[in-house]
Each structure stands twice: as structure tokens, then as C-alpha cells.
Amino acid sequence: MPDRHASTATRPLAPAPESAGVPAGAPAATQRVQVLLPLPLTGPYDYLAPPELSVTPGSVVVVPLAQRELVGVVWDAPADSAAAAAKPVPLAKLRPILESLPVPPLTPVARRFLAWVADYTLAAPGAVLRMALSSPSALEEPKPVTLYQRCDLPPSGGVPQDRRLTPARRRVLAVLADGPARKLADLAAAAGVGTSVVKGLVAAGAVEAVEVVAEPRFPPPDPEAAGPTLSDRQAEAARALRARVGEAACGEAFSVTLLDGVTGSGKTEVYFEAIAEAVVGGRQALVLLPEIALSAQWLERFERRFGVAPALWHSDLTSAQRRATWRAVALGHAPVVVGARSALFLPYPDLGVIVVDEEHESAFKQEDGVTYHARDMAVVRAQLGGIPAVLVSATPSLETLNNVKTGRYQELHLPERHGDAALPAIGLIDLRQDRPPKLEGLGPGWLSAPLRAAMAETLAAGEQVLLFLNRRGYAPLTLCRACGYRLQCPNCTAWLVEHRLAGRLQCHHCGFASRLPGACPGCGAEGSLTACGPGVERLAEEARVLFPTARQALMTSDTLTGPDSAAELVRAVQAREIDLLIGTQIVAKGHHFPYLTLVGVVDADLGLYGGDLRAAERTYQLLHQVAGRAGRAEHPGRVLLQTAEPDHPVMQALAASATQAEGRDRFFEAEAAARESAGLPPFGRLAALVLSGPDARQLDEVCRALARAAPQVAGVTVLGPAPAPLAVLRGRHRRRFLVKAPRGFRLQALLRAWLEQVKLPNAVRLQVDIDPYSFL
Ligand code: ADP
Ligand code: ZN
């Protein structure tokens, strides 16, 4: 949090940045400036800029607020803003800025971006600023460290005056001779000596200790380092991207390009060229990935291509890593940043290109706090910065495809897999005909005879199998055979999911956990609770019975606890220490397993229903991605989808697209037509309001008041209030409004005017979600 410790305020003032903040000749002491604070306020507050602290818009400063000291940013609000229209606080009442922090001011583009995001999402500007100032300690200069280096040598050749040049001392001097100054412990370790040897050399005058302030710095990637030789098509796409990045270096050159290519077509290699071009031009590159913690393979490839690791930005970083990365970015010492969505808000001084990989992924949508879609905001950031954005996917979102169709976005195609790798053949297994047989002692089975046969064949050939089921745990529902009682979360409208490996029941929404009771809580019957439906753990059990010698691994967010365990599992699969991988959507993400030749999708229909307007699109994308894991090298792959609805357009499109890209195009055209006729995104606009509170009666009262004030505007429909599908979450009741408007309608202005009319009690929270992706 950006609250400051009093102690930091006692540090000597940093040299003021060169400033245009104080107009020449103006009485400097009366300078009024606006400072945006990282708080949920409506706008910036006024402060006095003391003459000795010449600040400029974007300067990061410390100001007093009530009894606190806060870090904020000097703002330049447009003249017509609400803050400017209100009667200004008299100068005499203003408090002075205390300090200007030693970081470069936020650039005008960065400031406009923050304001834009706040305006679009209806978030407080300060809440967006808070995302940009996410590493408070990075705003201070690093503490000096003591490093040891060789003294300028006397003509005698550097022999210490006490002349005892032992082998240990010689090693220390040798290390310093061909390396930079080092910390005491590092130097001693590198020379293989104790620290006293180094101190002895200092005493002897051969080595000196120096205090330095070392700013974090990521080594520059080598853009000339040899990448793979690109195929003609790849080279053509790479050339086009490089040209766009090059144009941006010469001035305003905003563009959005969709890099659309089947899985394994080399999209990554191609956009690496765009990054190389930015690096050549001395500008920064940003790559957004949906699951940065699972990107070990991606990082390896980056290092192979560029010789160094990029700067990483995601929520698993330590605070020291965050601090170093934030500062390195701000100072222009991080040429390439790879991150999750929040990496958009880092203080880039000179961004040259943004790549959004797997642009269709819903993980780019942030659902709490400031609700924004990182892909869409990446495009906004590119536009404000006058630079190219590159959106990458094998299954682009309908939004992006529509933007290509209407000519707003350009498109580059990679229609073939690289090398000889063929696209996998996709077959449908009709579960109505091929019912999975029961298993002795285990009850119902989930693997049909044709899938079992394919697994047996693949395993016998020494190749790998992936079973995909997007359900964590052992069983999604536990019920009593005697009375029908279902085990439900006490805090949420949700069933408890049995996690047998962990020995617990768990709520996937609030984290509530308990032991599986011995008797039914409803009727008290002993041993009557049974697991309903499969989760990956139950599937693993079935597979163990059917294929007892196959070496299994589970790949879910429960078994992969961080980047290290993910990297270890990926390694084990690549080293063929695993025969059978059973996983949730985590396995769908970009992994390249050359010996994986069979993918079995256990329940292809799982995502099709549930009131989500993108259900079909998402199911298509997810299953297509999973299918893309099969046969990525010289071994041809196949995919079997178990479905009870083989005629569903999604299943038909998947089965067809194995042989032709038209399957995909036909599906998206049909889906687009359906959305267009219903006025749904991307052909219409949506916003969701979710109100929540501990007291259902009070909540309903507020909702009724809102409904009465609902806007009556032609073309705009307000649906609700209705209980949200998750009607209770973490003990809070939830109600939803959904607002539908035509494309191009200024929804934000309408919502602001509406919400201003109703005062919410403190206990009721309102979440505004523009372009919602979750309908829970
Ligand atoms: P995508 O991102 O489209 O799924 P990738 O960029 O991951 O495809 O490429 C798939 C695999 O093919 C990777 O192992 C990659 O290194 C390899 N590959 C792609 N293009 C080439 C090339 N021109 N030469 C050698 N290997 C390539
Ligand atoms: Zn819960």
C-alpha cells in the first residue's frame, strides 16, 4: 500500500527534475498544482508546490492528507473537468507538497491512459493510479551497497604492500581483474575464499570498498542473435510486423494486427521479430500472456532467441522483484517486459510495441477492483502511444474477428503447422451410443470404449495421452443416497467439491473447506454420501484401474502450486517420464509435447451451457486449444471428443476444422449472426451492475430504488434486478442489472447519470462491469 512510513520522509530531498511546472516570472510560492492520489476519490486534490520543489505534471510526489503522508502524481486535469468547475479551495488553505520522489515523471501517454481506463470502466482515477504505483518501495532510490574492486595498481604490478601474496589472495585479485566490482560475499564465493581474505586485501591497500547506488537493470536482448530460419510465410508475416514497429519509431503509427495462425504454426517465432525490431530501435516491448506463471516453455524460447531473460511481471513476484522490475521499467532499463494484464500499467518511458498472446483468453479480463479487459486496454494504450499492437491467437475472439472484418484491424495468416507436423484428426464420440461402461467397485465410468481403445493403442506405441476435463477435484457434487441432501457451501450458492487428494470438501468460490462428514448432515444416515459426476481426480482413479502401468500426472491448479512445479511437470512430460496426463484448462495453454499423440476430451459439452453469451465461443476456443496439444512434432496426433450433442455447431466446427479452416470460419459466422440478431457484443454493448450486501432486505430496497431511477432511453434496455446466479457469495447476497445498448452508444455517461441518483448505504457494494465476461 502506498501509505508511507514517517521515516522515509526524513531522507534528504532528491534533486528536483528539470521542470516546466513553474511559469517563468510567476510568484513561485503560490503555485497551485493538482495531485492525483491512489484513493477511490472522484479526482485530484489541490496542493501548493513550494518553489524549491519544481514539479511537473507526472512528477511522483509525497503529500499530506489528514494525518497521513501519501504518494501521488502531479496531474494536469483538463480545464472542463468537474474538479476545475467546482469552486477552488483558497490558496491559503492548501497544504504544500512535501517531497518529489526520485523517479521519472509519468509520461503524458501513461497519464492519459490512466484517465482513459478510469473513464471507460467507471473506476475512480485514483484506483487506476494505484495499479500503476503498485510497488511503493520502487519510488525510492535503491539503498547504496558496498562493492569491492581492485585499487588502481602501483607500478610494481599490484602486489600488496605487506607482500604476502598468498594463493587465496591471488584468486581474489584474479576474480576482480576480469570482472566488475562485487559484493563482499559474492567476491569471496567467486574466489573460493573466506571474507577475511578480502578484508586483508583491503587493509593491504590492494582492494577498496566503494559505496554505489545500483539501479536494477535487465540485460539487453540481442536482436541479431540467430532465431530459427523462418518459412516463407512466416518470414512474410514477420516482415510485415517489423515494418509496423519500424514505422512507429518514425512517428505516430498506431495499428492493430491480428496474427492468426493454427496452433504450432510459429506465431511466437514471428512476433519475436516484432520485439527484435523494437529493441533495435531502442524502444521497449511488452508481451501480455494470459497465464504468466505457466509460461516456462515460452521463457525458454525467449532466452534461446535473444540470449537473455525478459523482465517478468505477475502476481507471484516477491516485493523485491516487483520493486526492481518497476524501477527498471521506469528508468528504461527493461527492454522487454513479459507480464500478466497488470503489466499494462507499468511506467514505460518509451513503449514501441505491445503483443497480446492468446488474445481470446478470458483470463485477460480482470474481474475485481478495476474491471478491465487487458486486450482491449492494450489496444487503447497502443493508440494513445501511436504504436502497433499485435493480437495473437489460433482462435481469435469474435470481437477481434469482427474488427478485422470491418477493417479496423489488419490481419496476418499462418495457415499451416511448422515443418511436417500435421493438424490432428478430430473425431466425435457420441455418448448416447457409446455409454462409458461401469467399473467394478468404482461405480459409473467416464471413459467410453472407443476412447479406451485409442488410449490402449497410444500407450502401447510408447506415446503419450492427455485426458482433458475442466473440473478440479474428485467430484463436483456430493449427495446423500438416503435423503437426497446435497452438500452446499455455507457462504455461497454453490456445491462443495470433494478433493480426495487433499481429504476435504472445498468451495471453489470462497475457499471454504471442511472434512467429508461420516454421516449425512440432513438425515444422519451413515456412509450414505456418494460422489456425483467426475472431476480429474476421479478420472485418474478410473485410468489407474484401466491402465495400471501407465505413469500418470495430474495437471490442475491444485497440483501446480507455482511456476516451479509447473516447469518441473512440463520437463517430466517432455522427458517422457509421464505416459498419461490428466488435466484441466491449464493443459490447454501453449505447451509443446512432441510425443503427445492422443487427446481425449472427457466431457466436451461441459462449457456449453450456463447463461454465458460466450459459452459456445469459449468451448470452441478451449477445445481447439486442447486439441492443438496433440501431434505437434513428427508424430501425427488425434483428438477424440466425448459429447452427447455431436450435432451442436461447436462440435461440428471442431470436427471439421481438423481438415479445413472453414469449419472455424463457418462456426464464427453462425455465432456472429446469432449475436448480431440478438444485439449482443460485439454488435451491441453490455454493462453489468452487481450489487451485494449482507442483508437481503436492504439490498432489495436499494435495487428497487435503482430500478425506479433506471434510464428510459430509446434503444437501451435495463434488465433486472435479478438474483445473480451466485445469489450468495462469501455470505453476501448479490443482485444483478444488465444494461444493453446499441454499438457505439456512450454507455458510461448514461450509467454515471443513473448511479448519481441513488445513494448507496455503506453496507451495499456496487461493482460496475463494462463489457462483462462473467455472468455469475
Ligand atoms: P504457435 O505459437 O503458432 O503455436 P510456435 O511458435 O509455438 O507456434 O511454434 C511451434 C513449434 O515449432 C515450436 O517448437 C517452434 O520453435 C517451432 N518452429 C516454428 N517455426 C519454426 C521455424 N521456422 N524453424 C524451426 N522451428 C520452428
Ligand atoms: Zn463458498
Side-chain angles (χ1 to χ4, degrees):
M1 295 301 99
D3 293 63
R4 284 170 46 92
H5 314 288
S7 67
T8 48
T10 61
R11 208 170 28 70
L13 291 177
E18 306 128 64
S19 158
V22 185
T30 61
Q31 175 82 357
R32 174 198 294 268
V33 295
Q34 297 192 304
V35 176
L36 186 65
L37 298 172
L39 300 174
L41 308 165
T42 49
Y45 279 10
D46 285 2
Y47 285 91
L48 285 180
E52 72 276 14
L53 269 192
S54 59
V55 292
T56 166
S59 292
V60 183
V61 295
V62 180
V63 295
L65 184 77
Q67 310 306 319
R68 289 196 288 171
E69 287 183 7
L70 285 174
V71 171
V73 171
V74 176
W75 216 243
D76 42 356
D80 62 348
S81 77
K87 207 167 157 234
V89 180
L91 271 185
K93 289 212 168 152
L94 293 182
R95 300 172 74 183
I97 291 174
L98 300 174
E99 182 181 0
S100 173
L101 293 173
V103 279
L106 290 191
T107 61
V109 171
R111 300 196 310 271
R112 271 158 60 211
F113 180 55
L114 295 187
W116 203 99
V117 172
D119 186 61
Y120 187 83
T121 60
L122 261 72
V128 184
L129 177 67
R130 196 187 187 111
M131 299 197 292
L133 299 181
S134 56
S135 177
S137 62
L139 304 171
E140 312 279 341
E141 225 159 49
K143 292 201 181 65
V145 287
T146 307
L147 297 184
Y148 291 80
Q149 64 185 25
R150 223 166 143 147
C151 293
D152 285 339
L153 300 176
S156 67
V159 180
Q161 268 127 35
D162 66 0
R163 306 204 52 83
R164 286 185 299 117
L165 198 54
T166 60
R169 287 184 162 193
R170 242 189 257 279
R171 285 204 299 278
V172 173
L173 293 178
V175 166
L176 290 179
D178 36 73
R182 296 184 184 227
K183 287 188 192 163
L184 182 60
D186 295 349
L187 175 56
V193 302
T195 52
S196 60
V197 176
V198 179
K199 288 181 182 151
L201 282 166
V202 174
V207 168
E208 63 185 350
V210 286
E211 297 266 291
V212 288
V213 173
E215 289 286 4
R217 192 178 276 278
F218 289 84
D222 177 3
E224 311 299 343
T229 310
L230 299 182
S231 70
D232 288 349
R233 286 206 90 123
Q234 290 174 334
E236 200 181 308
R239 245 192 325 272
L241 288 185
R242 287 194 89 126
R244 270 155 226 176
V245 177
E247 281 158 28
C250 318
E252 291 280 294
F254 165 62
S255 65
V256 186
T257 306
L258 169 64
L259 180 56
D260 176 357
V262 296
T263 50
S265 57
K267 297 186 291 297
T268 315
E269 305 294 349
V270 168
Y271 74 66
F272 276 177
E273 295 303 305
I275 296 173
E277 184 70 25
V279 171
V280 169
R283 309 187 77 185
Q284 290 168 299
L286 166 63
V287 181
L288 296 180
L289 299 179
E291 296 272 357
I292 187 79
L294 300 170
S295 309
Q297 279 189 322
W298 190 97
L299 292 172
E300 243 171 58
R301 281 172 66 183
F302 185 92
E303 287 198 45
R304 233 179 296 139
R305 171 69 177 80
F306 291 109
V308 298
L312 283 182
W313 188 259
H314 56 83
S315 56
D316 287 338
L317 295 183
T318 64
S319 62
Q321 287 168 326
R322 290 180 85 74
R323 162 187 203 298
T325 303
W326 196 97
R327 212 168 156 85
V329 170
L331 295 170
H333 297 165
V336 181
V337 178
V338 179
R341 55 198 179 210
S342 56
L344 267 180
F345 296 95
L346 288 170
Y348 306 93
D350 189 17
L351 197 54
V353 64
I354 307 178
V355 177
V356 184
D357 202 349
E358 310 287 5
E359 69 89 27
H360 62 278
E361 275 287 339
S362 47
F364 283 124
K365 180 71 193 289
Q366 168 138 323
E367 298 288 357
D368 42 39
V370 180
T371 53
Y372 66 94
H373 198 297
R375 180 238 300 144
D376 299 344
M377 294 308 117
V379 170
V380 170
R381 176 65 179 77
Q383 185 160 25
L384 293 173
I387 58 171
V390 183
L391 310 182
V392 184
S393 179
T395 52
S397 61
L398 210 57
E399 278 78 0
T400 296
L401 287 175
N402 192 53
N403 280 325
V404 168
K405 204 168 155 197
T406 57
R408 289 186 61 211
Y409 294 179
Q410 294 161 294
E411 187 183 31
L412 294 168
H413 255 297
L414 296 175
E416 289 145 19
R417 280 197 162 180
H418 172 70
D420 295 329
L423 283 166
I426 302 186
L428 302 179
I429 297 174
D430 185 344
L431 285 174
R432 296 166 309 183
Q433 282 160 27
D434 285 304
R435 282 174 180 268
K438 274 200 169 157
L439 282 160
E440 200 61 39
L442 281 182
W446 311 98
L447 302 174
S448 63
L451 181 51
R452 287 181 184 188
M455 290 173 71
E457 243 169 65
T458 307
L459 293 170
E463 293 170 357
Q464 294 166 320
V465 176
L466 163 65
L467 288 182
F468 174 76
L469 176 64
N470 205 10
R471 253 195 198 140
R472 294 157 53 208
Y474 185 81
L477 168 65
T478 304
L479 63 72
C480 172
R481 266 192 315 256
C483 74
Y485 185 91
R486 296 162 173 221
L487 294 179
Q488 195 184 337
C489 175
N491 312 319
C492 307
T493 316
W495 308 129
L496 289 174
V497 178
E498 182 183 357
H499 285 250
R500 204 162 273 192
L501 292 178
R504 303 187 291 186
L505 295 162
Q506 225 174 288
C507 171
H508 285 180
H509 297 287
C510 73
F512 171 87
S514 72
R515 296 175 57 95
L516 185 66
C520 170
C523 69
E526 296 275 340
S528 68
L529 294 173
T530 80
C532 277
V536 282
E537 292 178 11
R538 191 163 190 188
L539 213 53
E541 194 177 77
E542 179 172 354
R544 253 194 311 275
V545 172
L546 297 171
F547 305 101
T549 57
R551 293 163 299 174
Q552 277 193 6
L554 272 184
M555 194 168 185
T556 78
S557 56
D558 301 303
T559 58
L560 302 185
T561 46
D564 294 346
S565 60
E568 166 52 23
L569 181 57
V570 167
R571 187 206 60 75
V573 176
Q574 281 176 332
R576 302 171 83 177
E577 293 162 21
I578 306 289
D579 304 310
L580 173 56
L581 194 59
I582 300 175
T584 57
Q585 61 184 359
I586 278 186
V587 298
K589 310 265 158 66
H591 300 293
H592 184 61
F593 300 134
Y595 294 96
L596 179 67
T597 57
L598 173 66
V599 170
V601 174
V602 175
D603 184 355
D605 312 329
L606 190 56
L608 280 181
Y609 300 99
D612 179 338
L613 77 97
R614 294 182 183 83
E617 179 189 351
R618 275 188 186 160
T619 300
Y620 177 81
Q621 287 160 341
L622 180 60
L623 297 186
H624 184 97
Q625 292 283 330
V626 174
R629 298 310 111 210
R632 303 222 346 149
E634 51 274 25
H635 311 275
R638 62 177 157 161
V639 179
L640 293 172
L641 307 180
Q642 297 194 139
T643 171
E645 288 186 67
D647 299 326
H648 193 288
V650 168
M651 302 308 148
Q652 287 298 315
L654 284 163
S657 64
T659 47
Q660 50 189 14
E662 292 126 52
R664 184 189 93 171
D665 295 345
R666 244 186 291 134
F667 168 69
F668 277 108
E669 261 163 42
E671 179 71 15
R675 296 239 198 121
E676 187 158 21
S677 70
L680 290 172
F683 306 98
R685 301 202 58 196
L686 282 186
L689 308 185
V690 175
L691 292 112
S692 67
D695 176 3
R697 268 225 315 268
Q698 181 192 40
L699 184 62
D700 285 330
E701 222 167 87
V702 173
C703 287
R704 272 194 300 273
L706 264 177
R708 278 193 299 274
Q712 314 262 336
V713 177
V716 176
T717 320
V718 177
L719 304 167
L726 261 171
V728 184
L729 176 64
R730 296 188 184 90
R732 295 174 69 86
H733 299 268
R734 301 168 78 242
R735 305 286 182 265
R736 293 179 64 96
F737 287 89
L738 197 60
V739 185
K740 268 176 74 176
R743 193 183 160 84
F745 188 89
R746 278 276 299 148
L747 204 46
Q748 282 83 352
L750 175 113
L751 291 175
R752 271 196 197 93
W754 177 19
L755 295 173
E756 264 170 22
Q757 297 176 49
V758 179
K759 172 132 179 52
L760 300 183
N762 282 338
V764 172
R765 271 206 297 267
L766 166 67
Q767 173 87 305
V768 179
D769 190 354
I770 305 286
D771 311 331
Y773 276 68
S774 164
F775 295 85
L776 288 179

